[in-house]
Amino acid sequence: MSDNTAFVFRDRELNLIRHPAKHQHVSLQAWDSADELIIDYLATEGPGKCIIFNDDFGTLGCWYASHNPCWISDSWIAHRSLADNLEGNNIAATLDDNGLVASPLKAADCLAPLPENPQTVIIKIPRTLALLEHQLIMLQKVITPETRVVAGAKVKAITKNVLELFEKYTGHTTTSLAKKKSRLIFAKPDAAILKKPVQSPYPVRWTAKSQNGVTLTLSNHANVFSGRSLDIGARFMIDNMNVTNNERVIDLGCGNGILGLNALSLAPQARITFVDESFMALASARQNVAENFPEQLEQCEFVPSNCLDALKQAEEGGFSKVFCNPPFHQQNAITDHIAWQMFSDSKASLARGGHLVVVGNRHLDYHVKLKRLFGGVTQVASHQKFVILSCAKR
C-alpha cells in the first residue's frame, strides 16, 4: 500500500484507488479533506439510513458500507472505483446485471428513484451546478424536516450559487469553518419548501443543425456538457465529418450524442456505438436518437465505459471510425491520461484502415501523441482555436 492509496483516519485504514488504478498518478488520491470533514462530523451518531451523492472514488461508500447506504453517482468510473475499493478492502459485495454494486450498498445512477425518509443525506458538491440542482430537486420528494443534510467540498467550490440552491430547494443553510481547504454545508429541510416540490427543469431541450442541414431536437440531462448549445469544438467537428452508409462508428465521449446523430444524418445505414462514462450523457444520447432517428435506434448501442474498456473486454472491434472530442480532466483533476487512453483504446478497436478523428484545442498538441501511437497523422481542418486530426490504423 503506497502513500497515495493508504487512507488512514480515525483509527481505520482503507486502501483506496482511483479507477483505473494503472493510470493513477502518484500525486492523486481517491479521497480529499472534505471526506475527512464529513466522517468527523458524523462520527458521534453515525449516518443511519443514508443516501450518498457524488462520492467520486467510493471513499465514503467504503467507510459507511456497514450502514447499507444508497449510493448515487452519474459516473461509470466512480461506480467502478467503488466496486474496486470494496474488493480491495475485503468488503464482500455483489453486482447487479448492469455491473453496479447491489450490496452491501445499493448503487444507482442519478436518474434512478431515491429511497424515502433517509436519516442522513451526504453530498459531495459536483463540478456541474445543474447536477446539484437536479439532485436537490429529487431529494425534495423523499427527505423530511428531520433529515440531516450535510455536504462537503473544497472551499473554492462552495460558491454563493451553491448555497443559494440549498436555500431554495432544502431550507436554512449554514457552513462550517474551513479546514484543510475544505468546508461543510449544513441544510435544515424546511417543511414549507418540501410541501411544494419543484418540477425539475431537466432535461433541457434545444435545436442544432447537422452538417447536411437537418434540424435536430436535442435533450440534455443535467450533467451533460454544453447544456443548451453546441460547444465550438463539436460544431467544428460536425462541419468536417465524413461518414458513409454501412460504416461502424464510435462516438467516444458522446455527451448528448451530437456527433453520432450527425453521422446518422449523413449515413442513415451506419451503425453507431455511443460511449460515455456519464449515465446522463448516454440517457440523453438514447433519447435524442429515439426522437430524431427512431428508425435507426436499433442500429445504435449505448455503452457506459471508461474510454473503450467495455468494448475491449467484450472483444468487440472492427470499427471503421472513432470520432472523439477528448476531455482533459477526471473529476476535479487536470490530466492528459484520459486522452491518451482514448487514443490507445481507439486504435485497438479500429479495423485495419479505420480512422480515429479527433478535435481539440491547438495548445493540447494532440498530434504529438497521435503520431507516436499511429505512426502518422493528417490535419483535416483547422481554425484559430481548434484543429481536427485523423489517424489511420495501419
Coordinates of all heavy atoms in Angstrom, one line a residue, residues 15-21 30 55-62 65 71 73 75-96 98-108:
N15 N -7.5 0.9 1.9 CA -6.7 1.0 0.7 C -7.6 1.5 -0.5 O -8.5 0.7 -0.9 CB -6.1 -0.4 0.3 CG -5.2 -0.3 -0.9 OD1 -4.5 0.7 -1.2 ND2 -5.2 -1.4 -1.7
L16 N -7.4 2.7 -1.0 CA -8.3 3.3 -1.9 C -7.6 3.7 -3.2 O -6.6 4.4 -3.1 CB -9.0 4.5 -1.3 CG -9.8 4.2 0.0 CD1 -10.2 5.5 0.6 CD2 -11.0 3.4 -0.3
I17 N -8.1 3.3 -4.3 CA -7.6 3.7 -5.6 C -8.6 4.5 -6.4 O -9.7 4.5 -6.2 CB -7.1 2.4 -6.4 CG1 -8.3 1.5 -6.7 CG2 -6.0 1.7 -5.7 CD1 -9.0 1.7 -8.0
R18 N -8.0 5.2 -7.4 CA -8.8 5.9 -8.4 C -8.9 5.0 -9.7 O -7.8 4.8 -10.3 CB -8.3 7.2 -8.8 CG -8.1 8.2 -7.6 CD -7.2 9.3 -7.9 NE -7.7 10.2 -9.0 CZ -8.1 11.5 -8.7 NH1 -8.1 12.0 -7.5 NH2 -8.6 12.2 -9.7
H19 N -10.0 4.5 -10.0 CA -10.1 3.6 -11.2 C -9.9 4.5 -12.5 O -10.4 5.6 -12.6 CB -11.5 3.0 -11.3 CG -11.7 2.1 -12.5 ND1 -11.4 0.7 -12.4 CD2 -12.1 2.3 -13.7 CE1 -11.7 0.2 -13.5 NE2 -12.1 1.1 -14.4
P20 N -9.1 3.9 -13.4 CA -8.3 2.7 -13.4 C -7.0 2.9 -12.7 O -6.3 3.8 -12.9 CB -8.1 2.4 -14.9 CG -8.1 3.7 -15.5 CD -9.0 4.6 -14.8
A21 N -6.7 2.0 -11.7 CA -5.5 2.1 -10.9 C -4.2 2.3 -11.6 O -3.3 3.0 -11.2 CB -5.4 0.9 -9.9
A30 N -7.7 9.0 -3.8 CA -9.1 8.7 -4.0 C -10.0 9.5 -3.0 O -11.2 9.4 -3.1 CB -9.3 7.2 -3.9
D55 N -19.8 10.6 -4.7 CA -18.6 10.1 -4.0 C -17.6 9.6 -5.1 O -17.7 8.4 -5.4 CB -19.0 8.9 -3.0 CG -17.9 8.3 -2.3 OD1 -16.9 9.0 -2.1 OD2 -18.1 7.2 -1.8
D56 N -16.7 10.4 -5.5 CA -16.0 10.2 -6.8 C -15.3 8.9 -6.9 O -15.3 8.3 -8.0 CB -15.0 11.3 -7.0 CG -15.6 12.7 -7.4 OD1 -16.8 12.6 -7.8 OD2 -15.0 13.7 -7.3
F57 N -14.7 8.4 -5.9 CA -14.0 7.1 -6.0 C -14.3 6.1 -4.9 O -13.6 5.2 -4.6 CB -12.5 7.4 -6.0 CG -12.0 8.3 -7.1 CD1 -11.8 9.7 -6.9 CD2 -11.9 7.8 -8.4 CE1 -11.5 10.5 -7.9 CE2 -11.6 8.7 -9.5 CZ -11.3 10.0 -9.2
G58 N -15.5 6.3 -4.3 CA -16.0 5.3 -3.3 C -15.5 5.4 -1.9 O -15.7 4.5 -1.1
T59 N -14.8 6.5 -1.5 CA -14.2 6.6 -0.2 C -15.3 6.5 0.9 O -15.3 5.7 1.8 CB -13.5 7.9 0.0 OG1 -12.4 7.9 -0.9 CG2 -13.0 8.1 1.4
L60 N -16.4 7.3 0.7 CA -17.5 7.3 1.7 C -18.3 6.1 1.6 O -18.8 5.6 2.6 CB -18.3 8.6 1.5 CG -17.6 9.9 1.7 CD1 -18.5 11.1 1.3 CD2 -17.2 10.1 3.1
G61 N -18.4 5.5 0.4 CA -19.1 4.3 0.3 C -18.5 3.1 1.0 O -19.1 2.3 1.7
C62 N -17.1 3.1 0.9 CA -16.4 2.0 1.7 C -16.5 2.3 3.2 O -16.7 1.4 4.0 CB -15.0 2.0 1.3 SG -14.7 1.3 -0.4
A65 N -20.0 1.4 4.4 CA -20.6 0.2 3.8 C -21.5 -0.6 4.8 O -22.5 -1.1 4.4 CB -19.5 -0.7 3.2
W71 N -26.2 4.7 -2.8 CA -25.0 5.4 -3.3 C -25.2 5.8 -4.7 O -25.4 5.0 -5.6 CB -23.8 4.4 -3.2 CG -22.5 5.0 -3.4 CD1 -21.6 5.5 -2.4 CD2 -21.8 5.1 -4.6 NE1 -20.4 5.9 -3.0 CE2 -20.5 5.7 -4.3 CE3 -22.1 4.8 -5.9 CZ2 -19.5 5.9 -5.3 CZ3 -21.1 5.0 -6.9 CH2 -19.9 5.5 -6.6
S73 N -24.3 8.0 -8.2 CA -23.3 8.7 -9.0 C -23.6 8.6 -10.4 O -24.1 7.6 -10.9 CB -21.9 8.1 -8.7 OG -20.9 8.7 -9.6
S75 N -21.3 8.8 -12.6 CA -20.0 8.4 -13.3 C -19.8 6.9 -13.2 O -19.7 6.3 -12.2 CB -18.9 9.1 -12.5 OG -17.6 8.5 -12.9
W76 N -19.6 6.3 -14.4 CA -19.2 4.9 -14.5 C -17.9 4.7 -13.8 O -17.7 3.6 -13.2 CB -19.2 4.5 -16.0 CG -18.7 3.1 -16.2 CD1 -17.5 2.7 -16.7 CD2 -19.4 1.9 -15.9 NE1 -17.4 1.4 -16.8 CE2 -18.5 0.8 -16.3 CE3 -20.6 1.6 -15.4 CZ2 -18.9 -0.5 -16.2 CZ3 -21.0 0.2 -15.3 CH2 -20.1 -0.8 -15.6
I77 N -16.9 5.6 -14.0 CA -15.6 5.5 -13.3 C -15.8 5.4 -11.8 O -15.1 4.7 -11.1 CB -14.7 6.6 -13.8 CG1 -14.3 6.4 -15.2 CG2 -13.4 6.6 -12.9 CD1 -13.5 7.5 -15.8
A78 N -16.7 6.3 -11.3 CA -16.9 6.3 -9.8 C -17.5 4.9 -9.4 O -17.1 4.4 -8.4 CB -17.9 7.4 -9.4
H79 N -18.4 4.4 -10.2 CA -19.0 3.1 -9.8 C -18.0 2.0 -9.9 O -17.9 1.1 -9.0 CB -20.2 2.8 -10.8 CG -21.4 3.5 -10.5 ND1 -22.4 3.0 -9.6 CD2 -21.9 4.7 -10.9 CE1 -23.4 3.8 -9.5 NE2 -23.2 4.8 -10.3
R80 N -17.1 2.0 -10.9 CA -16.0 1.0 -10.9 C -15.0 1.2 -9.8 O -14.5 0.2 -9.2 CB -15.2 1.2 -12.3 CG -16.0 1.0 -13.5 CD -16.6 -0.4 -13.8 NE -16.3 -1.5 -13.0 CZ -17.2 -2.1 -12.2 NH1 -18.4 -1.7 -12.2 NH2 -16.8 -3.2 -11.5
S81 N -14.7 2.5 -9.4 CA -13.9 2.7 -8.3 C -14.5 2.2 -7.0 O -13.8 1.6 -6.2 CB -13.6 4.2 -8.1 OG -12.9 4.8 -9.2
L82 N -15.8 2.4 -6.8 CA -16.5 1.8 -5.6 C -16.3 0.3 -5.6 O -15.9 -0.2 -4.5 CB -17.9 2.2 -5.6 CG -18.8 1.6 -4.5 CD1 -18.4 2.1 -3.2 CD2 -20.3 1.8 -4.8
A83 N -16.6 -0.4 -6.7 CA -16.5 -1.8 -6.7 C -15.1 -2.3 -6.4 O -14.8 -3.2 -5.7 CB -17.0 -2.4 -8.0
D84 N -14.1 -1.6 -7.1 CA -12.7 -2.0 -6.9 C -12.3 -1.8 -5.4 O -11.6 -2.6 -4.8 CB -11.8 -1.1 -7.7 CG -11.9 -1.4 -9.2 OD1 -12.5 -2.5 -9.6 OD2 -11.4 -0.6 -10.0
N85 N -12.7 -0.7 -4.8 CA -12.3 -0.4 -3.4 C -13.0 -1.2 -2.4 O -12.4 -1.6 -1.4 CB -12.5 1.1 -3.1 CG -11.4 2.0 -3.8 OD1 -10.3 1.5 -4.0 ND2 -11.8 3.1 -4.3
L86 N -14.2 -1.6 -2.7 CA -14.9 -2.6 -1.8 C -14.1 -3.9 -1.8 O -13.7 -4.5 -0.7 CB -16.3 -2.8 -2.2 CG -17.3 -1.7 -1.9 CD1 -18.6 -2.0 -2.6 CD2 -17.5 -1.5 -0.4
E87 N -13.8 -4.4 -3.0 CA -13.0 -5.6 -3.1 C -11.6 -5.5 -2.5 O -11.1 -6.4 -1.8 CB -12.9 -6.0 -4.6 CG -12.1 -7.3 -4.8 CD -11.9 -7.7 -6.3 OE1 -12.4 -6.9 -7.1 OE2 -11.3 -8.7 -6.6
G88 N -11.0 -4.3 -2.7 CA -9.6 -4.1 -2.2 C -9.5 -4.0 -0.7 O -8.4 -4.2 -0.1
N89 N -10.7 -3.8 0.0 CA -10.7 -3.7 1.4 C -11.5 -4.9 2.0 O -11.9 -4.8 3.2 CB -11.3 -2.4 1.9 CG -10.4 -1.2 1.6 OD1 -9.4 -1.0 2.3 ND2 -10.7 -0.5 0.5
N90 N -11.6 -6.0 1.2 CA -12.2 -7.2 1.7 C -13.6 -7.0 2.2 O -14.1 -7.6 3.2 CB -11.3 -7.9 2.8 CG -10.0 -8.3 2.3 OD1 -9.9 -8.8 1.2 ND2 -8.9 -7.9 3.0
I91 N -14.4 -6.1 1.6 CA -15.8 -5.9 1.9 C -16.6 -6.6 0.9 O -16.6 -6.2 -0.3 CB -16.1 -4.4 1.9 CG1 -15.3 -3.6 2.9 CG2 -17.6 -4.2 2.2 CD1 -15.4 -2.1 2.9
A92 N -17.2 -7.7 1.2 CA -17.9 -8.6 0.3 C -19.0 -7.8 -0.4 O -19.9 -7.1 0.2 CB -18.5 -9.8 1.0
A93 N -19.0 -7.8 -1.7 CA -20.0 -7.1 -2.5 C -20.6 -7.9 -3.6 O -19.9 -8.8 -4.1 CB -19.4 -5.8 -3.0
T94 N -21.8 -7.6 -4.0 CA -22.4 -8.2 -5.2 C -22.7 -7.2 -6.2 O -23.0 -6.0 -5.8 CB -23.7 -9.0 -4.8 OG1 -24.7 -8.1 -4.2 CG2 -23.4 -10.1 -3.8
L95 N -22.8 -7.5 -7.5 CA -23.1 -6.6 -8.5 C -24.4 -7.0 -9.2 O -24.7 -8.2 -9.3 CB -22.0 -6.6 -9.6 CG -20.5 -6.3 -9.1 CD1 -19.6 -6.3 -10.3 CD2 -20.5 -5.0 -8.4
D96 N -25.1 -6.0 -9.7 CA -26.4 -6.3 -10.4 C -26.0 -6.6 -11.9 O -24.9 -6.6 -12.3 CB -27.4 -5.2 -10.2 CG -26.9 -3.8 -10.9 OD1 -26.0 -3.8 -11.7 OD2 -27.5 -2.8 -10.5
N98 N -26.2 -4.8 -14.4 CA -25.6 -3.7 -15.1 C -24.2 -3.4 -14.6 O -23.6 -2.4 -15.0 CB -26.5 -2.4 -15.0 CG -27.8 -2.6 -15.6 OD1 -27.9 -3.0 -16.7 ND2 -28.9 -2.2 -14.9
G99 N -23.7 -4.3 -13.7 CA -22.3 -4.1 -13.2 C -22.2 -3.1 -12.1 O -21.1 -2.7 -11.7
L100 N -23.4 -2.7 -11.5 CA -23.3 -1.7 -10.4 C -23.4 -2.5 -9.1 O -24.0 -3.6 -9.0 CB -24.5 -0.7 -10.5 CG -24.6 0.1 -11.8 CD1 -25.7 1.1 -11.7 CD2 -23.3 0.7 -12.2
V101 N -22.8 -1.9 -8.0 CA -22.9 -2.6 -6.7 C -24.3 -2.7 -6.2 O -25.0 -1.7 -6.2 CB -22.0 -1.8 -5.7 CG1 -22.1 -2.4 -4.3 CG2 -20.5 -1.9 -6.1
A102 N -24.7 -3.9 -5.8 CA -26.1 -4.2 -5.3 C -26.1 -4.3 -3.8 O -27.1 -4.1 -3.2 CB -26.7 -5.4 -6.0
S103 N -25.0 -4.8 -3.2 CA -24.9 -4.9 -1.8 C -23.4 -4.9 -1.4 O -22.5 -5.3 -2.3 CB -25.5 -6.2 -1.3 OG -24.8 -7.4 -1.8
P104 N -23.0 -4.5 -0.2 CA -23.8 -4.0 0.9 C -24.4 -2.6 0.6 O -25.3 -2.2 1.3 CB -22.9 -4.0 2.1 CG -21.5 -3.7 1.4 CD -21.6 -4.5 0.2
L105 N -23.9 -1.9 -0.4 CA -24.5 -0.6 -0.8 C -25.5 -0.9 -1.9 O -25.3 -1.9 -2.6 CB -23.5 0.4 -1.3 CG -22.3 0.8 -0.3 CD1 -21.2 -0.3 -0.3 CD2 -21.8 2.1 -0.8
K106 N -26.4 0.0 -2.1 CA -27.2 -0.1 -3.3 C -26.8 1.1 -4.2 O -27.1 2.2 -3.9 CB -28.7 0.0 -3.0 CG -29.6 0.1 -4.2 CD -29.5 -1.1 -5.2 CE -30.4 -0.9 -6.4 NZ -30.1 -2.0 -7.4
A107 N -26.0 0.8 -5.2 CA -25.5 1.9 -6.1 C -26.5 2.1 -7.3 O -27.1 1.1 -7.8 CB -24.1 1.5 -6.6
A108 N -26.6 3.3 -7.7 CA -27.5 3.7 -8.8 C -27.0 4.9 -9.5 O -26.2 5.7 -8.9 CB -29.0 3.9 -8.3

